[in-house]
């Protein structure tokens, strides 16, 4: 049995942003060991909403990291840079990326945390473990979601 400081149920944008924030805190001497359990077999964000020519309705600046840490390596701008797409995106003259590109950004960020996320697992219960009258930890049980 492995004990983590935090277990996230699901690995969508909120928990990816949390994983990023915790990683950046860890680099600054605040170690939190986290793990994430995702029911889907692989990363997917609104897979049924990936229509052609559909764009986000919020600015790319509201990505996984910019508002909290503009110098984060996990910003949408850095994603574009690493994918050699920054110049092309700038030339679009828009603050609203396509849903396909934003999905690719989210998958890119999620892939950085493959070491602490399991896919294809369904959480079936969360049970308190007591030490006397106090809850000392929570036991999370999951199973293969297939």
């Amino acid at each position: 049995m492995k004990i983590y400081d935090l277990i996230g149920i699901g690995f969508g944008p909120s928990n990816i942003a949390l994983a990023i924030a915790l990683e950046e805190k860890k680099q600054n001497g605040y170690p939190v060991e986290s793990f994430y359990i995702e029911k889907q077999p692989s990363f997917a964000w609104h897979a049924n909403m990936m229509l052609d020519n559909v764009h986000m309705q919020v600015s790319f600046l509201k990505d996984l990291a910019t508002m909290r840490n503009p110098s984060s390596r996990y910003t949408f701008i850095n994603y574009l840079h690493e994918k050699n797409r920054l110049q092309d995106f700038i030339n679009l003259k828009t603050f609203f990326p396509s849903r396909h590109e934003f999905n690719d950004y989210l998958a890119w960020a999620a892939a950085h945390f493959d070491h602490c996320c399991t896919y294809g697992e369904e959480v079936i219960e969360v049970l308190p473990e007591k030490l006397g009258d106090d809850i000392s930890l929570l036991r999370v049980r999951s199973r293969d979601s297939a």
Side-chain angles (χ1 to χ4, degrees):
M1 173 178 69
K2 175 78 173 156
I3 296 177
Y4 295 94
D5 297 311
L6 179 143
I7 295 178
I9 299 173
F11 203 54
S14 294
N15 274 342
I16 297 169
L18 176 60
I20 290 168
L22 292 174
E23 179 184 290
E24 292 174 351
K25 291 278 189 187
K26 189 182 298 183
Q27 293 169 359
N28 293 320
Y30 183 76
V32 173
E33 193 168 3
S34 61
F35 192 78
Y36 304 87
I37 302 169
E38 172 57 54
K39 185 176 180 179
Q40 297 184 97
S42 61
F43 179 81
W45 176 68
H46 297 182
N48 57 348
M49 301 282 292
M50 292 298 125
L51 306 170
D52 291 335
N53 300 316
V54 176
H55 289 78
M56 299 293 296
Q57 295 179 333
V58 297
S59 168
F60 70 87
L61 294 172
K62 293 184 180 179
D63 61 15
L64 298 169
T66 299
M67 298 294 287
R68 182 187 47 76
N69 179 8
S71 64
S72 172
R73 66 182 283 226
Y74 297 101
T75 64
F76 184 73
I77 292 289
N78 189 54
Y79 152 80
L80 290 170
H81 173 72
E82 286 194 12
K83 295 284 186 163
N84 295 316
R85 291 254 319 116
L86 184 56
Q87 184 173 349
D88 292 338
F89 184 79
I90 289 171
N91 288 334
L92 292 175
K93 299 178 184 175
T94 182
F95 273 68
F96 308 101
S98 72
R99 290 184 67 84
H100 283 285
E101 186 148 55
F102 205 74
N103 178 68
D104 191 59
Y105 158 67
L106 294 172
W108 168 84
H112 286 87
F113 299 94
D114 283 347
H115 66 282
C116 63
C117 180
T118 186
Y119 289 92
E121 288 284 319
E122 178 181 15
V123 172
I124 55 174
E125 64 183 357
V126 178
L127 301 168
E129 291 282 324
K130 287 193 169 190
L131 184 60
D133 289 336
D134 296 326
I135 296 173
S136 60
L137 57 91
L138 298 173
R139 182 179 302 272
V140 178
R141 289 188 49 222
S142 65
R143 66 175 172 219
D144 191 345
S145 65

